[in-house]
Amino acid sequence: MTKMKRSMTVMLALFMVVGLLLTGCSGKKEEPKNEASQADATQSNETKSNEPVTEEGSNTPTEEPVKLTWYVYSAEPKNAAAVLQKANEIIQEKINATLEFKYVNPGDYNAKMQLAMSSGEEYDIAFTASWVNSYSENANKGAYLALDDLLEKFPDLKGMLKEEIWDGARINGKIYGVPNNQIMADQPGVWLKKDLVDKYQIDPGSIKSLTDFTSVFQKIKDGEPGVSAIRFGIASAFADYYSSVVDLFAIDTKTWKVVYTPDQYTDGYKLTREWYEKGFFPQDVATLKDEASLIKAGKVFSRYSRQKPGNEAALKATNGFDVVSVVTGPAVINKGAVTSTLNAISATSKHPDKALELINLVDTNKELFNLLKFGIEGQDYTKVSDNRIEPKPDSYAMAGWMFGNEFNSYVLPGQDDNVWDQTKVLNDSAMIDPAIGFVFDRTPVENEIAQLTAINAEYLPVLSNGLEDVDKTLSALLEKRKAAGHDKVLAEVQKQLDAWRAAQQ
Amino acid sequence: MLSRMMKDFRKNKFLLALTLPMVIYVFVFSYTPMFGAIVAFKRYQYNKGILGSDWVGLSNFKFLFNSPDLWRLVRNTLGYNAVFIMTSLVASVTVALLLYELTSRKLLKAYQSVMFFPHFLSWVVVAYMAYAFLNPRSGMLNHWIADIGWSPVDWYNEATAWMYILPLANIWKDIGFGAIMYYAALLGIDPAYFEAAKIDGANKWQIVRKISLPSLYPLITILTILAIGHIFSADFGLFYQLPMNSPTLLATTDVIDTYIFRALTVLGNIGMSSAAGLTKSLLGFLLVLGVNAVVKKINADNSLF
């Protein structure tokens, strides 16, 4: 025993020595690097600010091209090296920079970006959104650079989107990311399988409320055993629009009062419960893992779908059958739609000006955008007409909504020639959420929101799929939420909303 | 004191040198990161870094301790882990004793491999194997139930069933690994004891009770103490993947780890998740000390330290 203790002391001493050595090494190594990078940063900032930014990018040929890294939410596409090389010819000529995409598999994106940010990695641009690599959280935590001043140097980019849309991208009053210009209007809807619609002579135009669906679904249930009438609940369809803020709280923009949304959808939940008991849903509606194969096999008659021009064609391509759409609410441009895809510049970027110049170039240069989206003509696609292409199987492709201005995109087979004009019309006619500029700062109630989030994850799938009695679930949910600070968060949202409204006037 | 230490050091320097790689490894990967635990008391911001972020005291711990589900979480976590520790102990020791009785080398290897194999499967894979049995549309179990004329059960909405499914799955996955360890310990017993017992006319049961089991006690205590150290950290894969994250099962499948995951995936708050991790580690550490002290009282030779 005593012997063991002695060797333990020796070991402890060893720990310390090794520790000292290690910290000594790292300290020495880091110091000069930091100095160098700081000097570098200030230098580049100086040169940049002295230099007028022009469209052509009037760089002296002696200056080294700036290397920019851009994290994208995509696996590496085929032929990526060749495409990037070709793109870099354009980028270097126009703005004297080179681009390196860092491809991250979608499933790893959150984790990878968290790591990049918490380790202080130097990168320039990253794809960010409300649903992955959270834009508002990261901006709040200081991961991104505020772009307000820089954006003034790029009137084309600034003018690409309406002022209200830029407002939607604001976090605590500042813009931290450039929204990709695409479909901004968010309109809910439901697709119905066309062959069954024809077979049972259903008139989609006659569906004007949630209850109108019941008789339609009953026909499918009676006539088509093995086919689920609808994939999952759509309790909020045809309900009034509320501008959602955080957790389950939303703003009623008519009265500017904060509401708790399950209260607004109670009727919808009750009808959903009725549907569940009638067997309109797949039996494992809340735990179904492989929805795509079920839909492809024709076992699902209808499903929620966000409406946009060309939606039916896109659905036919993925599902393999024709669909008819039923629109279930107004088209709205809200904060969620604006922040559904953005690109932000990292706070660690050494060349923020160049990075924004690159985003500007990708958004305004049609040739470059289509090159990065579809690849090289002849290798990755063939041109059918001036603006229409036919992709080759198994070739380069990247989602355009992830990095650029979709209104510059070529059209694909199955899409209307004027699909982007139609999108523009929808965008322009959509109602802009009056609360688009309001951002909730969750710092004062972070603990409560964490608890509420966990509670919601337990009850919402039950409510929205009608798995259990609605009144009972709603009261159990509310009771638990009250214990977790429901009222405190509600009051905080209302307080911040009132303050924001006062500042607006 | 110091000269004694130096002498000791000189005498054992080669043995100590052998431990050096592991010492460095533990230091770099286990001790150094402990400084990171301070983010549990901070409001972490990327641009300020770990040291620069603001102190917030204990506020990061609130979401866990104020949770209205706290009782359910603690009950499930401790309850399941206690059941797991006991069942896998009994099952592994039994299997090890049975394996020891086997005389055919070939059969022994075959049994060991078959039972050991699930240990290498990830819970995600196991979850889909279970799904193939249990899912309401094409699950095999429901087909069998239907064949004998009962009505099918929607297992993923049947909370009570999971009180049995989870321990069963855990045993199935763990039994091979535990059995191998105990089997190895059995091989270490001097065969002379067994021979002597046989000559004295002891039967199999007596040999097991009086020789095999007592020789296993030290290993059993050490492994159990270590397992108790982890009693607050539930196996996330088991509790999250196997029930397919079904919301209606949470009454019997929700543990501290799944709660933290549910609460924080949206927020991505590093401070709060560190706070939860630190709490679990601290409780586990205290438990190990406590159990070790108890064991020491009963039999000092079996204690861990």
Side-chain angles (χ1 to χ4, degrees):
Chain A
M1 216 50 204
T2 43
K3 208 171 207 176
M4 206 169 121
K5 258 186 199 146
R6 238 175 284 143
S7 50
M8 289 268 265
T9 24
V10 175
M11 245 150 62
L12 259 178
L14 265 174
F15 272 133
M16 283 161 151
V17 172
V18 173
L20 277 178
L21 279 177
L22 280 173
T23 46
C25 286
S26 64
K28 257 177 224 151
K29 241 189 240 161
E30 248 164 43
E31 250 173 280
K33 205 183 128 209
N34 268 355
E35 270 166 32
S37 64
Q38 258 164 19
D40 227 34
T42 43
Q43 198 182 19
S44 65
N45 275 346
E46 271 164 30
T47 46
K48 286 292 148 345
S49 50
N50 289 341
E51 193 181 70
V53 184
T54 58
E55 281 293 287
E56 284 86 7
S58 62
N59 293 293
T60 43
T62 46
E63 204 181 322
E64 271 285 297
V66 173
K67 230 182 108 185
L68 298 168
T69 48
W70 187 336
Y71 274 104
V72 284
Y73 175 80
S74 160
E76 182 164 352
K78 293 260 163 65
N79 205 17
V83 171
L84 219 54
Q85 196 193 349
K86 204 149 180 248
N88 274 330
E89 284 167 19
I90 302 177
I91 297 167
Q92 192 164 352
E93 187 204 318
K94 297 275 188 196
I95 64 169
N96 194 32
T98 59
L99 160 67
E100 187 198 347
F101 271 138
K102 294 227 179 178
Y103 303 101
V104 181
N105 280 325
D108 303 333
Y109 198 70
N110 258 333
K112 170 70 205 171
M113 292 319 294
Q114 290 256 353
L115 193 67
M117 288 181 293
S118 43
S119 65
E121 186 185 314
E122 262 172 39
Y123 68 93
D124 298 292
I125 308 173
F127 171 72
T128 170
S130 54
W131 47 276
V132 69
N133 190 24
S134 173
Y135 171 63
S136 57
E137 279 306 308
N138 295 342
N140 254 329
K141 286 184 190 152
Y144 301 140
L145 207 67
L147 302 176
D148 298 69
D149 298 338
L150 274 180
L151 271 171
E152 296 307 324
K153 295 187 191 165
F154 302 97
D156 284 359
L157 187 63
K158 192 84 202 286
M160 178 176 83
L161 302 165
K162 284 190 226 172
E163 203 50 48
E164 290 92 342
I165 292 180
W166 285 112
D167 283 345
R170 282 180 200 277
I171 305 286
N172 300 334
K174 291 218 165 85
I175 298 167
Y176 288 94
V178 179
N180 294 318
N181 198 9
Q182 45 145 350
I183 172 104
M184 289 284 175
D186 193 352
Q187 184 164 37
V190 171
W191 59 251
L192 312 174
K193 210 160 167 278
K194 191 166 185 299
D195 55 342
L196 294 177
V197 167
D198 294 343
K199 186 174 168 189
Y200 294 97
Q201 292 163 351
I202 295 159
D203 174 17
S206 72
I207 301 173
K208 297 263 184 270
S209 73
L210 207 52
T211 39
D212 290 342
F213 276 114
T214 310
S215 60
V216 174
F217 290 161
Q218 193 62 52
K219 278 182 202 164
I220 302 297
K221 168 84 188 159
D222 296 340
E224 301 287 324
V227 174
S228 299
I230 183 159
R231 166 65 188 89
F232 49 72
I234 45 165
S236 61
F238 296 108
D240 290 338
Y241 175 77
Y242 298 101
S243 175
S244 69
V245 181
V246 70
D247 180 49
L248 299 177
F249 296 110
I251 302 168
D252 183 342
T253 50
K254 286 183 230 82
T255 60
W256 291 102
K257 283 271 167 288
V258 178
V259 296
Y260 167 59
T261 46
D263 282 347
Q264 315 301 318
Y265 303 143
T266 310
D267 293 340
Y269 289 141
K270 288 198 167 147
L271 190 64
T272 308
R273 172 72 182 154
E274 203 183 309
W275 290 357
Y276 179 82
E277 286 178 323
K278 286 185 170 154
F280 290 171
F281 298 115
Q283 202 177 353
D284 46 356
V285 51
T287 43
L288 180 57
K289 285 287 149 179
D290 189 12
E291 134 181 321
S293 66
L294 206 64
I295 291 174
K296 274 185 194 162
K299 297 283 184 204
V300 175
F301 168 67
S302 66
R303 186 193 185 281
Y304 165 85
S305 164
R306 185 177 161 183
Q307 299 298 297
K308 61 181 178 187
N311 192 34
E312 278 95 348
L315 282 171
K316 186 178 178 178
T318 44
N319 295 344
F321 51 77
D322 285 309
V323 297
V324 219
S325 295
V326 178
V327 170
T328 59
V332 182
I333 296 183
N334 57 18
K335 190 160 213 81
V338 172
T339 56
S340 66
T341 63
L342 310 104
N343 281 293
I345 295 177
S346 168
T348 58
S349 168
K350 280 200 249 163
H351 309 284
D353 306 47
K354 273 284 178 224
L356 194 62
E357 207 176 346
L358 175 66
I359 295 177
N360 177 52
L361 184 70
V362 173
D363 276 344
T364 50
N365 188 314
K366 187 166 176 168
E367 185 194 352
L368 177 62
F369 173 71
N370 280 304
L371 176 67
L372 291 174
K373 183 176 177 185
F374 297 113
I376 301 165
E377 187 183 349
Q379 290 179 21
D380 300 299
Y381 64 86
T382 42
K383 238 175 165 166
V384 183
S385 70
D386 202 28
N387 206 33
R388 176 173 288 280
I389 60 151
E390 180 99 39
K392 292 190 171 170
D394 207 22
S395 60
Y396 180 94
M398 267 227 316
W401 49 255
M402 193 166 51
F403 63 91
N405 179 359
E406 285 277 65
F407 294 94
N408 279 337
S409 174
Y410 296 143
V411 290
L412 288 166
Q415 279 180 328
D416 258 13
D417 269 330
N418 55 357
V419 57
W420 295 115
D421 295 331
Q422 291 169 15
T423 307
K424 208 168 177 53
V425 170
L426 183 61
N427 273 355
D428 289 342
S429 65
M431 170 188 127
I432 292 181
D433 182 339
I436 194 167
F438 172 62
V439 191
F440 180 65
D441 174 14
R442 58 170 49 147
T443 322
V445 286
E446 218 157 27
N447 274 296
E448 286 77 12
I449 288 177
Q451 292 176 27
L452 293 174
T453 312
I455 296 169
N456 297 341
E458 180 177 356
Y459 287 91
L460 278 190
V462 174
L463 276 175
S464 55
N465 296 307
L467 299 183
E468 273 157 34
D469 182 70
V470 176
D471 289 327
K472 220 178 78 195
T473 316
L474 274 177
S475 65
L477 170 62
L478 192 61
E479 191 188 329
K480 230 182 215 189
R481 284 177 56 94
K482 295 255 181 194
H486 171 99
D487 295 321
K488 186 177 168 194
V489 179
L490 179 77
E492 182 67 33
V493 178
Q494 187 71 55
K495 191 183 103 192
Q496 289 190 23
L497 178 68
D498 293 344
W500 175 76
R501 289 240 304 148
Q504 290 297 99
Q505 280 151 13
Chain B
M1 172 72 190
L2 200 69
S3 68
R4 171 110 67 68
M5 222 169 94
M6 284 312 285
K7 214 168 98 193
D8 225 40
F9 181 73
R10 230 173 283 130
K11 201 171 98 197
N12 294 320
K13 61 184 169 216
F14 292 111
L15 286 176
L16 283 169
L18 276 179
T19 66
L20 199 62
M22 207 54 210
V23 169
I24 294 175
Y25 176 87
V26 170
F27 182 80
V28 172
F29 291 104
S30 301
Y31 279 81
T32 324
M34 276 188 205
F35 294 107
I38 62 168
V39 296
F41 306 96
K42 288 190 163 212
R43 181 173 163 71
Y44 179 68
Q45 291 214 261
Y46 293 126
N47 52 352
K48 290 185 184 164
I50 290 179
L51 292 175
S53 294
D54 305 333
W55 293 96
V56 292
L58 293 175
S59 112
N60 283 333
F61 291 82
K62 273 192 207 148
F63 90 101
L64 188 59
F65 288 103
N66 282 354
S67 164
D69 289 322
L70 187 64
W71 162 237
R72 176 173 88 185
L73 301 172
V74 173
R75 180 198 64 195
N76 283 353
T77 310
L78 294 185
Y80 278 118
N81 274 333
V83 170
F84 291 170
I85 290 171
M86 281 187 286
T87 51
S88 61
L89 172 69
V90 173
S92 309
V93 170
T94 315
V95 170
L97 290 171
L98 291 175
L99 286 178
Y100 191 70
E101 297 299 320
L102 276 180
T103 40
S104 154
R105 301 277 311 154
K106 262 201 194 128
L107 268 180
L108 176 70
K109 285 273 169 257
Y111 284 136
Q112 269 184 347
S113 312
V114 168
M115 277 189 289
F116 202 26
F117 181 67
H119 180 75
F120 295 105
L121 293 178
S122 114
W123 277 118
V124 183
V125 178
V126 178
Y128 277 92
M129 289 164 67
Y131 189 64
F133 270 100
L134 301 176
N135 89 68
R137 197 171 312 98
S138 51
M140 275 192 274
L141 196 59
N142 272 341
H143 279 278
W144 295 336
I145 289 178
D147 280 346
I148 52 172
W150 295 347
S151 57
V153 182
D154 187 359
W155 296 104
Y156 289 94
N157 276 327
E158 201 58 55
T160 39
W162 289 84
M163 286 164 59
Y164 308 100
I165 298 175
L166 291 173
L168 269 177
N170 186 66
I171 291 183
W172 175 78
K173 198 163 181 293
D174 260 5
I175 195 167
F177 189 72
I180 281 187
M181 276 196 285
Y182 290 115
Y183 181 70
L186 283 175
L187 288 182
I189 303 172
D190 190 343
Y193 292 124
F194 294 112
E195 279 160 28
K198 261 182 218 153
I199 292 168
D200 288 345
N203 63 22
K204 279 262 154 67
W205 177 237
Q206 283 168 328
I207 292 178
V208 165
R209 271 189 49 206
K210 301 285 178 198
I211 300 173
S212 306
L213 277 182
S215 328
L216 288 180
Y217 283 157
L219 185 63
I220 291 177
T221 15
I222 286 175
L223 289 182
T224 308
I225 293 174
L226 288 178
I228 287 173
H230 290 284
I231 202 163
F232 278 99
S233 32
D235 189 341
F236 179 77
L238 169 63
F239 290 96
Y240 182 77
Q241 304 288 355
L242 205 66
M244 291 280 171
N245 193 23
S246 171
T248 46
L249 298 181
L250 285 177
T252 55
T253 62
D254 200 15
V255 289
I256 296 176
D257 294 76
T258 52
Y259 173 77
I260 294 167
F261 181 77
R262 243 188 6 268
L264 297 183
T265 30
V266 182
L267 287 177
N269 186 320
I270 297 176
M272 279 151 86
S273 33
S274 310
L278 193 64
T279 310
K280 281 193 328 186
S281 308
L282 210 67
L283 290 174
F285 179 65
L286 292 177
L287 270 175
V288 168
L289 289 184
V291 175
N292 191 64
V294 173
V295 171
K296 216 168 180 174
K297 273 251 167 68
I298 300 168
N299 183 348
D301 288 339
N302 285 351
S303 70
L304 192 57
F305 44 80

